[in-house]
């Protein structure tokens, strides 16, 4: 009987450990897939990749420069464990960044498949070829053609007319001007420009990935994402993968021979690849052979499509 019990307990522990390792691998696979998708599209504008971007957002670099997500200079910007990330508070509350962990900001155009039919810069509004089931007034959008891209906040959207308005002085943060010409002139005016048929229209995607405290007393991988809350553009922390205990991020610069920490990057626009190492532990906190959680560290490398030559 003692022998049978011993074999049973041994097999049970092997099963628990195997199940825990499988759960850790599944969580890592999901985390890498979501992060890699964002990293690959960092700096994407839709049509061009030469850095010609107009921006009339009131909280952007030509406005009061108060929001990290409104500035495409942050299309990819990492923060070492010793650095402050302006997108998220480091602390012990739920959703706050865990001390001594890396984080990264990513800004670019989201996939949408929408294209411009006409642009009346005097109205001002766009008419699209397609209708969208997700677009609404207050969305932060990016439009792009072969000349340049422009970022603005919509003031109205009609699914029947397929029109997007972008007046100034309304919404939050709103637009300080309606001229979408490049370069953006100042906080009070901007040169006019009319986008032609088939210019690309997308929602602006802005995310900050970090390890934060969760409601269960542990830590998780979080994404601070740009959202439209009743016409107000704001960022909201989303818990993506639970039981992530650590994240280390390194960056490769074009022409370089090695990956470096965030503190070693002098020109973020030159980064063309990102290496992410995540440490996860099992949900079963006694699944290991020592009656502790199973912990594994996995690494993945992702190139930025918009910067690959």
């Amino acid at each position: 009987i003692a022998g049978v019990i011993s074999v049973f307990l041994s097999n049970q522990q092997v099963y628990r450990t195997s199940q825990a390792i499988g759960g850790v691998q599944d969580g890592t696979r999901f985390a890498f897939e979501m992060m890699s998708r964002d990293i690959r599209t960092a700096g994407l504008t839709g049509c061009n990749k030469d850095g010609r971007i107009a921006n009339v957002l009131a909280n952007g670099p030509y406005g009061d420069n108060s929001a990290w997500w409104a500035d495409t200079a942050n299309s990819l910007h990492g923060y070492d464990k010793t650095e402050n990330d302006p997108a998220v508070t480091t602390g012990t509350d739920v959703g706050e960044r865990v001390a001594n962990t890396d984080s990264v900001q990513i800004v670019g155009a989201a996939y949408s498949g929408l294209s411009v039919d006409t642009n009346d810069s005097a109205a001002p509004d766009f008419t699209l070829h397609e209708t969208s089931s997700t677009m609404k007034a207050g969305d932060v959008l990016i439009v792009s053609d072969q000349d340049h891209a422009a970022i603005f906040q919509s003031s109205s959207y009609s699914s029947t007319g397929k029109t997007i308005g972008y007046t100034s002085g309304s919404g939050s943060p709103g637009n300080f001007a309606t001229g979408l010409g490049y370069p953006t002139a100042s906080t009070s005016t901007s040169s006019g420009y009319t986008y032609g048929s088939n210019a690309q229209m997308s929602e602006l995607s802005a995310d900050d990935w970090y390890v934060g405290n969760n409601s269960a007393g542990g830590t998780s991988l979080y994404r601070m994402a740009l959202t439209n809350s009743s016409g107000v553009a704001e960022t909201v922390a989303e818990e993506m993968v639970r039981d992530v205990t650590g994240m280390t991020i390194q960056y490769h610069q074009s022409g370089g021979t090695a990956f470096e920490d965030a503190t070693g990057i002098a020109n973020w626009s030159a980064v063309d690849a990102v290496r992410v190492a995540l440490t996860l532990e099992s949900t079963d906190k006694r699944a290991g052979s020592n009656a502790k959680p199973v912990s594994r560290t996995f690494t993945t490398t992702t190139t930025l499509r918009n910067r690959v030559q």
Side-chain angles (χ1 to χ4, degrees), residues 35-308:
M35 289 191 71
S36 295
R37 184 178 64 179
D38 280 352
I39 292 170
R40 281 193 295 267
T41 58
L44 180 69
T45 61
C47 290
N48 65 72
K49 59 177 183 179
D50 56 11
R52 290 168 55 89
I53 302 174
N55 190 331
V56 296
L57 292 175
N59 63 347
Y62 305 102
D64 62 20
N65 197 27
S66 61
W68 64 269
W69 57 262
D71 187 356
T72 52
N74 294 322
S75 58
L76 183 81
H77 195 294
Y79 294 91
D80 188 76
K81 61 184 179 180
T82 61
E83 297 179 307
N84 177 58
D85 184 343
V88 60
T89 301
T90 299
T92 58
D93 290 342
V94 173
E96 292 184 337
R97 179 186 173 196
V98 175
N100 297 316
T101 56
D102 295 350
S103 63
V104 61
Q105 295 173 359
I106 304 167
V107 180
Y111 294 117
S112 67
L114 299 176
S115 61
V116 172
D117 183 9
T118 60
N119 174 206
D120 184 350
S121 57
D125 63 28
F126 289 95
T127 301
L128 303 180
H129 283 118
E130 312 87 359
T131 188
S132 170
S133 60
T134 60
M135 190 170 288
K136 53 188 178 295
D139 284 344
V140 179
L141 305 173
I142 181 168
V143 59
S144 176
D145 65 8
Q146 71 280 1
D147 185 76
H148 72 279
I151 299 174
F152 63 94
Q153 185 178 29
S154 66
S155 56
S156 62
Y157 175 69
S158 170
S159 59
T160 54
K162 296 180 286 188
T163 57
I164 300 170
Y166 55 99
T167 59
S168 61
S170 63
S172 178
N175 309 310
F176 64 78
T178 59
L180 302 183
Y182 179 85
T184 305
S186 69
T187 58
S188 60
T189 184
S190 187
S191 59
Y193 184 82
T194 300
Y195 283 89
S197 180
N198 296 322
Q200 298 298 299
M201 181 76 71
S202 305
E203 292 185 29
L204 185 71
S205 173
D207 303 294
D208 186 288
W209 289 90
Y210 66 98
V211 176
N213 306 290
N214 62 38
S215 58
T219 58
S220 300
L221 180 65
Y222 276 82
R223 179 177 65 182
M224 184 73 72
L226 177 64
T227 62
N228 178 355
S229 178
S230 301
V232 177
E234 60 184 16
T235 55
V236 176
E238 303 170 334
E239 185 181 5
M240 305 302 292
V241 180
R242 185 155 287 195
D243 295 314
V244 176
T245 59
M247 178 165 65
T248 301
I249 310 176
Q250 293 185 307
Y251 307 88
H252 180 272
Q253 298 181 87
S254 179
T257 58
F259 283 82
E260 300 180 73
D261 295 337
T263 52
I265 305 299
N267 180 13
W268 285 101
S269 63
V271 173
D272 57 11
V274 179
R275 177 182 292 165
V276 180
L278 289 177
T279 300
L280 286 83
E281 67 177 26
S282 60
T283 303
D284 185 346
K285 303 307 179 186
R286 298 178 62 84
S289 58
N290 54 358
K292 293 183 178 180
V294 171
S295 180
R296 296 289 187 274
T297 298
F298 299 91
T299 303
T300 190
T301 301
T302 306
T303 57
L304 280 68
R305 288 177 180 171
N306 209 41
R307 298 181 183 176
V308 175

Side-chain angles (χ1 to χ4, degrees), residues 15-29 282 294 296 298:
Y15 172 77
R16 291 177 63 183
T17 301
S18 298
Q19 189 177 45
I21 293 174
V24 167
Q25 291 174 334
D26 287 343
T28 306
R29 188 179 300 111
S282 60
V294 171
R296 296 289 187 274
F298 299 91

